[in-house]
Amino acid sequence: MMRRVVGVLGLALLGGTLALSQSGPVGTLGVAVTFTSAPPSLTSEVALGLSFGRAEVLSRTQLSLTGLVAQHLVVGIGLDGIGLKTGMRFNPCFSQYWFEVRGGCCPLELGGLFLVENLAPACQTPNYTIGIVLDLGVAWRPGFFARSLTGFGVTNLYGLIDPDPATWLVAVPGVWFEEELLHLGFTSTCFRADALVLFDPWGLAWFELGASYLYPNPEAELGARIRILGTFALDWAKLFLGVRVPPVAVRLVTEFDLGGFVAQEVWVEVFFSWVRIYSRTRFDFGGFLQATVGVEVKF
C-alpha cells in the first residue's frame, strides 16, 4: 500500500508507470509541464506507454523552449521468473544504451545492467564509455529484504531504487569501482523500516534511515527519513504524510537541515475513470521554487 500512496504520485509526476496486462493491449498517454523559478525555465514531457501481454514499450520525450532535450525509449518483457529490459536515450543525438536482466527464485533475486554512454556534448565527436551494475538481493514479502548494488563506471546507484523515472545512473570515464549501495529493511501490512548505505572509493559517502506507519482505510502513510553524510554530519531530514481518499490523493513532504526548515513539497492527484490529473509544488521561506502539473490518460 505504501507504493500506492507514496510511489504512485512520484511516478505520475513525469508520466506515470506502465501496468502490464495479460488480457490485451493497454496504453497510457501523459503530458507534464514544469516551471522553475530560479533560473526561470519551462520544460515539458510527453510519455507514451503500451503493453502487450508480458511486453511493454515506454517512450518519454523531454522538451524545453529551445526544442528537444532528450528522448528515452524503453522496451521490456517478462518471462517465467526473468525480466529483460533495454533502453536508449537521444539528446537529440544518440547518447546512451543500456540492457538489464533481473530474475531469481524466491527469496533470492539476481540481476545485472550493462550501459554504453557518450560522454561528449550533444552531437559532438563521440566519447564512449561503459558501465556495469551487479544486483543481488533477497526478499520475503511481507518480511525482511536486502539488496546490494555494485557500480563500475557509473554513479548515482540510488537512481535504480528511487521510483522517480527522472533519476538514473550517471556514467563516468573508465570501468573502475565507483559505488556500493546497500538497502536493508523490513515491511509488514502496517509498518515499513529501511536503511540505505552508500560507499564510494573513499569510504562511507552517506547513510539513510527511514520508517513509516501504514494505515489501511483510508490509505495513509506517516513517516520520516534522515540522511547522514560520511562525516556524520546531517545532510537532511524529511517528514512525510500521504493520504488517499478516492478520487483524491495528497502527499506532503517537509525537509529540514541543521539550519531548520528547508522546503515544503505538496503533491496532489485526482483520478477518475481513465484519467489522472496531478501536480507537485515545491516552495521555501523565500517563496515558490518549482511546480509541475500533468495529466495522464489510459486507453
Side-chain angles (χ1 to χ4, degrees):
M1 184 192 66
M2 184 204 67
R3 285 287 184 181
R4 185 171 179 82
V5 175
V6 179
V8 167
L9 282 171
L11 288 167
L13 175 64
L14 290 175
T17 56
L18 179 60
L20 293 180
S21 170
Q22 301 298 327
S23 58
V26 175
T28 60
L29 175 62
V31 179
V33 178
T34 299
F35 176 73
T36 304
S37 61
S41 65
L42 183 68
T43 60
S44 62
E45 178 167 304
V46 179
L48 174 63
L50 296 173
S51 67
F52 309 88
R54 297 184 178 185
E56 62 176 351
V57 179
L58 177 62
S59 169
R60 293 195 301 119
T61 305
Q62 296 173 282
L63 304 167
S64 69
L65 294 177
T66 59
L68 178 67
V69 175
Q71 172 68 45
H72 303 258
L73 178 64
V74 178
V75 179
I77 185 170
L79 305 175
D80 292 334
I82 300 178
L84 305 176
K85 190 173 291 187
T86 185
M88 300 182 71
R89 184 185 70 199
F90 302 86
N91 64 344
C93 300
F94 170 80
S95 60
Q96 186 183 91
Y97 167 81
W98 56 269
F99 176 79
E100 179 183 29
V101 57
R102 184 170 175 82
C105 181
C106 183
L108 184 63
E109 298 178 351
L110 300 172
L113 185 145
F114 175 77
L115 175 145
V116 178
E117 181 157 345
N118 180 12
L119 298 179
C123 299
Q124 300 298 312
T125 302
N127 177 21
Y128 293 111
T129 187
I130 64 173
I132 300 172
V133 179
L134 303 179
D135 190 344
L136 172 64
V138 292
W140 292 267
R141 299 180 178 87
F144 174 80
F145 67 88
R147 187 177 181 185
S148 169
L149 295 168
T150 307
F152 300 90
V154 291
T155 64
N156 195 36
L157 293 179
Y158 185 71
L160 296 177
I161 292 179
D162 188 344
D164 189 339
T167 60
W168 187 240
L169 298 171
V170 176
V172 296
V175 287
W176 329 130
F177 167 76
E178 296 293 339
E179 288 186 348
E180 172 73 25
L181 180 65
L182 302 177
H183 190 197
L184 311 172
F186 177 84
T187 61
S188 68
T189 55
C190 62
F191 181 76
R192 174 185 173 96
D194 70 309
L196 285 161
V197 184
L198 182 71
F199 297 93
D200 59 22
W202 297 273
L204 176 65
W206 53 259
F207 64 92
E208 184 176 320
L209 303 173
S212 59
Y213 174 76
L214 312 175
Y215 188 78
N217 190 19
E219 294 184 20
E221 179 184 15
L222 175 63
R225 299 196 71 84
I226 184 171
R227 178 176 290 185
I228 306 295
L229 299 175
T231 58
F232 293 96
L234 176 68
D235 188 9
W236 51 255
K238 295 181 181 180
L239 300 176
F240 52 89
L241 172 65
V243 179
R244 177 181 293 272
V245 181
V248 178
V250 177
R251 173 172 160 84
L252 306 176
V253 181
T254 307
E255 182 176 346
F256 304 89
D257 63 12
L258 289 177
F261 174 78
V262 174
Q264 176 75 50
E265 286 187 4
V266 180
W267 301 20
V268 179
E269 178 188 68
V270 179
F271 54 96
F272 52 90
S273 186
W274 297 96
V275 179
R276 174 186 294 142
I277 302 172
Y278 53 90
S279 69
R280 175 186 180 185
T281 305
R282 180 177 174 87
F283 56 89
D284 60 11
F285 279 135
F288 166 81
L289 296 175
Q290 188 179 75
T292 298
V293 293
V295 59
E296 178 187 281
V297 179
K298 296 185 179 182
F299 54 90

